[in-house]
Amino acid sequence: MSPSDSIEIELKFDVDAGLPAPDLTGLVDGGTVGEPTTYLLEATYFDTADTALARNRITLRRRTGGTDAGWHLKRPSSVPGGRKETAVGFDEAGDAQVPAHLREQVLTIVRSAPLVPVATITTDRTVTRVLDADGRSLAEFCEDLVSAESLLPGGSVHRWAEWEFELTGGDAKLLKRAKGVLRSAGAREASSVSKLARAIGSRPHDDLVRALPKKATALGLVQYDLAAHRDALVAWDPIARENGEDAVHQMRVAARKIRSILASYPGVIAPEAAAPVAEELRLLGEVLGDARDREVRLAANAQLLHREQAPDDLVRALIDDERLHHERALKSMRFALTTPRYLRLLDDLDALIEAPIPGPAAARDARDVAADAIGRAYSRMVSAEKRLKKYSPWSAEWVEQLHTIRKRAKAVRYTAESVDPLGKRAFHRAGKEAKRVQNHLGVFHDTVVNRRHLAGVAANPDLSREALFVLGRLDAHEEARGRRAVKKYRRTR
């Protein structure tokens, strides 16, 4: 069985051992409940010695018994109240080592640390299915008697009873009704987020995060921002490896924002500490950028051909060939994200956040340093706009200068966003203005890139006349779209 993903949405409660389960037949109009089934589940949980996974609300286990024996990785998801679960059966993973696919998914958390057993948990589980009027499963109600042993130094054995109510096809309304029924029957709010957290006493990392103080120093602001974007980089990494929607883009944005912070506040962290990290982030951005650019081009080509009766040779050139290039770029990206160099970058970034070497501006007031940074970035954008007048409209130099303005606007936007925690309206307004410039010129830049690509495809001597005719139409569409974008930009200035 190959790895499978699902979203787990459940309620968890503490209960007294032996508490009778309530009647659940009334949860669904016309519904019924199945016959209770009992399982003995035996699981070994794996983590680093310092429980890095548990502190990030991630659990990795090898479990026997029940209907889904195998390896399970559970982590936070974007679905409210849900957790993403990746399962790998024993036939795919073998019976001993942590499957490579699952280790890859947590690589940014564990880095080079070994994954070792940290707890064993045995669960005597009774499962009752909640069915609709047609006999379809909507949820499973689990009565668990749990015995957990921590394998960490100083660990002990804990025993408790709990109830779980997990959706298998039902909706949020069913979950809400079940919560009321179970609470009325004597269930209490769960004292821990998971069985493992209760067994080893781990606190989630996000419970330890502190807000930025009102009178923050420049160093405090930079550390706060770096940590936020570092967390985003780490969160998007496993999704990018699987080519999840927009994941490569978001991971590259996180890397760019970290670099932008280091560039925007040059006197806050000593350059000998910041510069090497910034350079490694630049190289990471190039790797991510190749995969992202191919993704964008493939989507753009598909959009361009959407209303065209394109011949087969043009479809091969714009879709099939580009898809192959995209897959190769993703393969290169995945390799780069498994190298020791990438893991060292993450370690160095952590050190930059947790133990930075202060620069001469580190102790200055955050608002003063932020105002200086935004002012510098805004001035550079305005200077680039003034230089645009030196070039003839639509010349190669003029087009390149618009690209420079776009990049300068992006720097203003990123710098303004980095000081959002300070709550200054003037900073926010500067960011909004820069965002409009970036968006309009970003559309124009996309058309420039697309037209160059179309010209390259048209240079193929083997293309049919029909393909060349369609390419001419596509180029005209992109030229018109670019001119509209520039017109919108001019209206904002």
Side-chain angles (χ1 to χ4, degrees):
M1 180 183 69
S2 59
S4 61
D5 294 327
S6 61
I7 298 296
E8 176 188 76
I9 302 177
E10 67 178 11
L11 301 172
K12 186 184 292 287
F13 302 95
D14 289 345
V15 296
D16 296 328
L19 180 69
D23 182 4
L24 301 179
T25 54
L27 286 178
V28 180
D29 290 340
T32 59
V33 296
E35 287 295 322
T37 305
T38 300
Y39 302 101
L40 181 64
L41 311 177
E42 298 181 320
T44 300
Y45 286 76
F46 292 77
D47 206 331
T48 61
D50 61 351
T51 65
L53 294 183
R55 286 185 286 110
N56 284 274
R57 295 183 181 270
I58 298 172
T59 59
L60 173 63
R61 73 185 179 208
R62 174 191 178 278
R63 191 173 75 180
T64 60
T67 59
D68 60 347
W71 289 86
H72 307 106
L73 175 67
K74 295 186 180 183
R75 51 200 150 132
S77 79
S78 58
V79 177
R83 286 167 60 78
K84 182 176 181 180
E85 179 175 351
T86 302
V88 179
F90 289 137
D91 55 345
E92 178 74 15
D95 199 31
Q97 299 298 318
V98 175
H101 177 75
L102 297 187
R103 182 177 178 87
E104 185 178 278
Q105 296 300 299
V106 297
L107 192 59
T108 55
I109 303 296
V110 304
R111 316 275 168 87
S112 57
L115 288 167
V116 297
V118 295
T120 58
I121 298 180
T122 300
T123 304
D124 188 348
R125 168 168 290 179
T126 300
V127 179
T128 302
R129 293 191 303 156
V130 177
L131 311 172
D132 66 10
D134 297 321
R136 290 188 295 265
S137 176
L138 298 179
E140 288 185 348
F141 172 62
C142 302
E143 304 169 75
D144 291 347
L145 293 175
V146 185
S147 177
E149 179 181 4
S150 170
L151 304 180
L152 297 173
S156 58
V157 176
H158 301 270
R159 294 182 177 85
W160 70 90
E162 66 181 34
W163 287 349
E164 293 181 1
F165 189 90
E166 181 179 352
L167 294 181
T168 57
D171 55 17
K173 293 181 180 179
L174 175 60
L175 210 63
K176 183 177 181 180
R177 290 195 296 271
K179 183 176 183 178
V181 169
L182 297 176
R183 291 293 293 268
S184 297
R188 304 181 299 276
E189 197 72 28
S191 58
S192 190
V193 296
S194 68
K195 290 182 174 65
L196 175 64
R198 185 163 180 170
I200 64 178
S202 174
R203 289 181 62 194
H205 172 73
D206 54 10
D207 288 349
L208 307 177
V209 174
R210 297 178 180 177
L212 188 70
K214 290 184 178 180
K215 295 185 178 181
T217 64
L219 182 59
L221 174 64
V222 168
Q223 287 176 289
Y224 182 90
D225 285 332
L226 290 177
H229 298 309
R230 183 271 318 272
D231 292 347
L233 183 76
V234 169
W236 283 109
D237 173 289
I239 310 173
R241 293 170 190 267
E242 297 179 336
N243 193 29
E245 183 178 358
D246 205 36
V248 176
H249 171 58
Q250 292 298 336
M251 190 175 176
R252 182 169 67 160
V253 167
R256 282 177 167 175
K257 286 187 174 181
I258 296 171
R259 283 186 65 212
S260 177
I261 290 167
L262 296 176
S264 298
Y265 306 101
V268 175
I269 295 179
E272 64 267 25
V277 173
E279 174 61 16
E280 289 298 302
L281 285 166
R282 183 186 69 80
L283 297 175
L284 173 63
E286 290 182 357
V287 172
L288 296 170
D290 188 26
R292 170 59 178 171
D293 292 345
R294 294 291 183 181
E295 177 185 35
V296 170
R297 181 175 295 173
L298 181 59
N301 289 350
Q303 181 64 31
L304 287 170
L305 292 178
H306 178 62
R307 295 184 178 180
E308 298 287 344
Q309 295 294 325
D312 291 344
D313 58 341
L314 185 57
V315 172
R316 284 194 298 271
L318 292 182
I319 302 299
D320 299 341
D321 291 350
E322 196 58 49
R323 183 176 290 117
L324 180 61
H325 290 310
H326 181 221
E327 290 171 354
R328 288 173 178 169
L330 286 173
K331 185 176 181 180
S332 296
M333 180 200 73
R334 292 187 185 105
F335 173 77
L337 296 183
T338 61
T339 60
R341 184 171 186 170
Y342 173 60
L343 300 182
R344 282 196 302 271
L345 165 61
L346 296 178
D347 288 339
D348 292 344
L349 183 55
D350 285 349
L352 202 64
I353 295 168
E354 296 161 11
I357 302 175
R364 289 185 61 195
D365 183 271
R367 288 177 173 81
D368 293 339
V369 173
D372 290 346
I374 293 175
R376 285 193 302 270
Y378 191 86
S379 295
R380 293 180 75 235
M381 182 183 76
V382 172
S383 295
E385 290 182 312
K386 289 180 179 179
R387 283 196 295 274
L388 183 67
K389 299 177 182 179
K390 297 180 179 181
Y391 306 113
S392 299
W394 307 105
S395 66
E397 296 84 1
W398 187 84
V399 169
E400 184 60 31
Q401 189 62 23
L402 282 180
H403 182 44
T404 298
I405 295 170
R406 182 184 72 88
K407 291 188 291 185
R408 299 283 172 83
K410 184 192 301 183
V412 175
R413 175 187 174 186
Y414 284 175
T415 305
E417 289 177 350
S418 74
V419 299
D420 275 349
L422 301 179
K424 296 286 287 185
R425 291 184 179 179
F427 297 163
H428 182 67
R429 286 196 298 270
K432 286 184 66 176
E433 178 184 342
K435 183 178 179 179
R436 286 193 294 269
V437 172
Q438 179 193 348
N439 287 344
H440 294 319
L441 294 186
V443 172
F444 174 66
H445 180 67
D446 287 345
T447 65
V448 171
V449 173
N450 289 345
R451 293 185 68 196
R452 288 172 182 167
H453 174 57
L454 294 175
V457 173
N460 182 352
D462 296 327
L463 277 183
S464 65
R465 293 178 62 183
E466 292 83 359
L468 292 172
F469 176 77
V470 173
L471 280 171
R473 287 168 53 88
L474 299 181
D475 179 72
H477 287 316
E478 286 299 273
E479 181 182 15
R481 188 165 72 98
R483 289 181 178 273
R484 288 194 298 271
V486 171
K487 187 176 182 180
K488 290 178 181 179
Y489 158 69
R490 284 172 165 166
R491 287 174 178 171
T492 67
R493 311 310 295 158

